[in-house]
Amino acid sequence: MYRLVLLVLLALPLAGCFAPRAEDTARNWRPMGANGLALGRLVALSPGVTRATWEAFAGIKGQTVVRLAAEYDPVRAAAGCPPPEAGMVRAARSFLIVDLAVTPQKSVDFIAAKAQAYSADGYFEEYDLDIGVIAALAARARPMPCADLALPGYLR
C-alpha cells in the first residue's frame, strides 16, 4: 500500500496536477521582459484600481483565455483628465477588461482589451482598446483614455 501511495505521489507532477493554473500564468506574465514586473503587480499598481478578477475560459487549439476585469475608481482613474465635454458626465463605475491567451506551453499572448463605463442607473458604454494598455500599465499611467471615463449626461 505504501508503494502505491508513493507511486501516485510521484506520478501527479507528471500528470500536470501541480502545473500552474492559466490565471496564475497570466498574472505572472512579464510583458516587459524578464526584468519587468509581472502583470498582476502592474495592475495592482495602476492608478485608481480598486479590485481585479482573473477568470479562465476554454479557448481554441488548446489555449486558455484568461480575462482580467479590473475595476477602477472613476474619480481616481480620471485624475489629470480635463472635465468631461459638454453634455457628458463621469462614469459611476469603470472597468478595464483584458483578454489573454495562455498556450499549453505556458506562453501568454494579448488578444484584446476594452474599457467599460457605467452610469449609476446601469447604462454602459464599451470602448475597444489595443495592446497599448499593457504599455500604459507598465508605465503606471492611466490605461483608459479620459474620453472612455465619461457618459452622456442626459442619461441621469
Side-chain angles (χ1 to χ4, degrees), residues 31-79:
M32 304 314 279
N35 293 327
L37 293 176
L39 182 60
R41 185 74 178 130
L42 293 173
V43 171
L45 294 171
S46 184
V49 75
T50 59
R51 76 184 67 135
T53 303
W54 301 79
E55 297 177 291
F57 308 93
I60 59 170
K61 297 181 183 174
Q63 294 181 345
T64 301
V65 175
V66 174
R67 176 164 293 154
L68 160 65
E71 183 170 6
Y72 283 78
D73 173 341
V75 173
R76 287 185 52 217

Side-chain angles (χ1 to χ4, degrees), residues 129-155:
L129 302 173
D130 60 23
I131 196 168
V133 300
I134 303 297
L137 288 169
R140 296 191 190 132
R142 180 185 319 101
M144 295 176 284
C146 293
D148 295 354
L149 299 171
L151 295 165
Y154 61 83
L155 298 172

Side-chain angles (χ1 to χ4, degrees), residues 99-124:
D99 289 339
L100 304 164
V102 178
T103 68
Q105 296 77 28
K106 302 300 179 197
S107 67
V108 178
D109 294 310
F110 175 86
I111 297 174
K114 56 190 163 191
Q116 294 179 339
Y118 289 81
S119 73
D121 297 336
Y123 171 81
F124 89 101

